[in-house]
Amino acid sequence: MKPSTSSAQFVGQSTADDLMDDWVFFSTESAVSQGLEDSRDDQEAEDKGRFKDKLVSAWNSVKYGWTLKQKSKFSKRSPVFMLGKSYELKDEVDQQHFRWCFASLLWFTYRRGFRPLPGSSLTTDSGWGCVLRSSQMLLAQGLLLHLMPPGCTWSGNQRVVKDDMDLMHSVNDGFSSSERESKRSRHLSWGSILDRPVESTHRRILRWFADNPTAPFGIHRLVELGKSSGKKAGDWYGPSIAAHILRKAVEAAVVDLPNLVVYVAQDCTIYLQDVRKLCERPLPQHWKSVLILVPVRLGGQDLNPSYITSVKKLLMLECCIGIIGGKPKHSLFFVGFQDDHLLYLDPHYCQPTVDVTNNFPLESFHCKNPRKMPFSRMDPSCTIGFYAKGQMEFESLCASVNEAVSASAETYPMFIFEEGKTREEARANTPTHSVTFLQRKTQLGRVDTNNSMDEFVLL
């Protein structure tokens, strides 16, 4: 019997439906399989990335960590100068005071184990973020001057500690002003109930630098702001780019810091009218406090020795908050000197990230071991920082800094002060590399800077 037309149509339709179901099932199965493979590939890539991060972190901890435990030799015959203060190490009280003040500086190093950085899977800045960490230290020093009482120092747990200078001293948790120091005793007074608000401010500042996306000056925020300069997580950041990143970060933190502004010098020139425009407010309000950042290049491939005198004189000023510098491709935060050696904090030590949501430990944010290196090893590319609380302090800063940078008669000054203002276009458009080339007139020429802190130099 022949099938009817309708039954033939039914059989044909059924076969077509079965084929369609088989195709849909196969397609779905393929899609699921492909999705699982993609997910597996992503997981493998993420695992490889984490393994690489851990490997790089471990290598940097081995490479640089041991140097933190080495002793630096300090002469008792020469004073140590650090951020506008001098210390006679032959005097035991001065030794102790230097130790307290150095340990009170905020220390930011490589960290590992934080949330992935913007646009990447990186969970550590080990191996590439040293300039950003040095920049954090410079900004933090400015914030300490801006928010803390003068002369405050911090110390760790209540125990006797032997530092790198073979000085035995007792340590109590808290803060103290240098005015409390007594020449008749080697011990400082700590733990006063009046210090609690100061310690709270200290912790608040550290939270601003936390390794999470919400911290206004954390590594995540700095990497995000670096995108406008063509930088991303894992790239090398020069001192000049770092200066502009700090300016943007403080501008965005106006709720937390309404009375602080940052000025970045253009072409080694501080335009006074531009600074005043940033700081001035209608009466009866006071001037805003200002951080002045000056990116400079002090020579060609190596530091021009003629600038060493000026660098020393700047570090002897109380308005100086440090230098983002270092050795070639190895950033350090310079805070002082003794004779022909620079005093610095080193960010090249990878530590686990710290959860700052609660009463977090402070020890990993302070370094008790002063380190030194010869001026001759200093990379010529750096950014110098200054802080002025108000208008009178700013006028005093201009006079003292101008005298210091004019100390090297054989060279161009490191930078200059100029009445007037720069073009608005130059201020609106942040240059990727705002560095002016400085060296002796007789030595002008193209220089190989492949090993320098900056990627290239404008001649």
Side-chain angles (χ1 to χ4, degrees):
M1 178 184 295
K2 294 182 179 180
S4 65
T5 305
S6 57
S7 62
Q9 290 174 346
F10 173 79
V11 171
Q13 182 65 42
S14 176
T15 304
D17 290 342
D18 291 342
L19 291 173
M20 180 62 70
D21 290 342
D22 290 343
W23 184 84
V24 171
F25 175 77
F26 177 77
S27 299
T28 304
E29 186 180 48
S30 299
V32 171
S33 177
Q34 183 64 41
L36 290 174
E37 289 181 5
D38 291 344
S39 177
R40 192 179 300 111
D41 291 341
D42 292 342
Q43 184 64 40
E44 289 179 358
E46 186 175 347
D47 290 342
K48 288 180 180 178
R50 288 176 179 172
F51 176 76
K52 181 180 178 181
D53 291 347
K54 291 181 179 179
L55 189 63
V56 171
S57 298
W59 166 245
N60 279 286
S61 294
V62 171
K63 184 178 180 181
Y64 301 112
W66 68 274
T67 62
L68 297 176
K69 300 177 182 179
Q70 283 187 313
K71 285 188 176 182
S72 290
K73 296 181 180 179
F74 287 82
S75 172
K76 292 186 177 181
R77 292 176 292 182
S78 303
V80 173
F81 294 92
M82 185 175 72
L83 300 179
K85 305 291 184 182
S86 64
Y87 307 88
E88 293 289 345
L89 301 185
K90 60 186 177 182
D91 180 81
E92 290 186 352
V93 174
D94 260 14
Q95 277 189 356
Q96 186 187 47
H97 193 199
F98 168 67
R99 179 69 183 94
W100 291 118
C101 291
F102 182 84
S104 298
L105 300 174
L106 294 184
W107 182 41
F108 296 108
T109 71
Y110 289 154
R111 296 280 178 172
R112 63 179 181 271
F114 48 70
R115 294 176 59 182
L117 292 165
S120 77
S121 61
L122 292 174
T123 58
T124 179
D125 61 317
S126 182
W128 58 270
C130 55
V131 173
L132 295 182
R133 295 300 185 180
S134 296
S135 304
Q136 287 179 322
M137 287 188 266
L138 180 136
L139 176 58
Q141 179 60 23
L143 294 180
L144 289 176
L145 294 179
H146 184 62
L147 298 173
M148 302 281 270
C152 275
T153 53
W154 174 89
S155 65
N157 297 326
Q158 187 174 2
R159 64 183 183 273
V160 175
V161 177
K162 186 175 182 179
D163 66 13
D164 276 358
M165 296 160 59
D166 294 327
L167 173 64
M168 300 296 297
H169 54 84
S170 63
V171 186
N172 285 339
D173 191 20
F175 290 83
S176 175
S177 296
S178 59
E179 288 78 12
R180 301 178 190 175
E181 180 179 357
S182 172
K183 287 287 182 180
R184 294 171 297 176
S185 174
R186 296 179 59 194
H187 299 281
L188 298 181
S189 174
W190 299 88
S192 168
I193 192 171
L194 298 177
D195 291 330
R196 291 179 183 175
V198 179
E199 183 179 353
S200 176
T201 301
H202 175 239
R203 289 182 177 274
R204 178 160 56 101
I205 293 174
L206 284 175
R207 288 189 177 97
W208 288 342
F209 293 90
D211 300 311
N212 64 62
T214 62
F217 311 125
I219 189 73
H220 293 75
R221 183 61 178 160
L222 300 186
V223 168
E224 182 68 34
L225 293 173
K227 289 182 178 179
S228 61
S229 297
K231 294 295 183 180
K232 62 182 185 300
D235 285 349
W236 176 260
Y237 294 73
S240 57
I241 292 179
H244 289 282
I245 291 176
L246 292 182
R247 175 180 60 82
K248 295 174 186 177
V250 173
E251 284 179 356
V254 64
V255 174
D256 294 315
L257 296 166
N259 300 316
L260 180 67
V261 294
V262 174
Y263 174 82
V264 180
Q266 299 286 338
D267 298 326
C268 295
T269 303
I270 297 174
Y271 292 94
L272 300 179
Q273 189 172 339
D274 284 340
V275 178
R276 295 187 180 105
K277 182 179 178 180
L278 273 177
C279 297
E280 286 176 345
R281 292 189 292 187
L283 294 174
Q285 298 181 82
H286 298 291
W287 259 43
K288 290 184 178 181
S289 302
V290 60
L291 293 175
I292 298 177
L293 307 180
V294 188
V296 295
R297 186 169 186 87
L298 308 177
Q301 187 172 357
D302 300 313
L303 175 72
N304 186 333
S306 299
Y307 289 111
I308 293 178
T309 299
S310 291
V311 173
K312 288 182 177 181
K313 287 184 176 294
L314 291 176
L315 290 171
M316 294 169 69
L317 300 177
E318 291 191 7
C319 61
C320 182
I321 57 174
I323 299 174
I324 305 170
K327 298 176 285 189
K329 297 298 182 182
H330 182 100
S331 181
L332 302 168
F333 178 49
F334 296 129
V335 295
F337 69 94
Q338 184 184 45
D339 296 328
D340 294 324
H341 286 74
L342 284 155
L343 183 69
Y344 66 85
L345 284 164
D346 192 345
H348 296 86
Y349 182 61
C350 194
Q351 304 183 86
T353 190
V354 175
D355 183 0
V356 299
T357 54
N358 297 312
N359 191 26
F360 57 96
L362 304 175
E363 285 76 15
S364 69
F365 297 103
H366 294 273
C367 179
K368 70 182 185 69
N369 303 320
R371 306 295 302 151
K372 297 197 304 180
M373 65 166 251
F375 269 97
S376 59
R377 299 180 63 190
M378 179 182 177
D379 190 285
S381 179
C382 59
T383 289
I384 308 169
F386 306 95
Y387 171 78
K389 189 82 171 179
Q391 185 174 7
M392 291 182 59
E393 289 83 356
F394 173 69
E395 301 299 336
S396 175
L397 180 155
C398 293
S400 58
V401 172
N402 189 54
E403 180 180 353
V405 297
S406 302
S408 302
E410 298 180 8
T411 61
Y412 293 114
M414 297 170 64
F415 53 90
I416 61 173
F417 292 85
E418 182 76 23
E419 286 290 349
K421 60 181 179 179
T422 186
R423 295 181 302 169
E424 284 298 318
E425 295 82 9
R427 290 188 55 105
N429 301 316
T430 300
T432 302
H433 294 272
S434 175
V435 181
T436 294
F437 185 81
L438 294 177
Q439 62 177 18
R440 295 179 183 176
K441 298 179 182 179
T442 57
Q443 296 177 341
L444 288 177
R446 188 165 296 279
V447 177
D448 179 14
T449 60
N450 290 331
N451 295 321
S452 178
M453 294 277 287
D454 271 314
E455 292 165 339
F456 63 84
V457 181
L458 301 179
L459 298 182

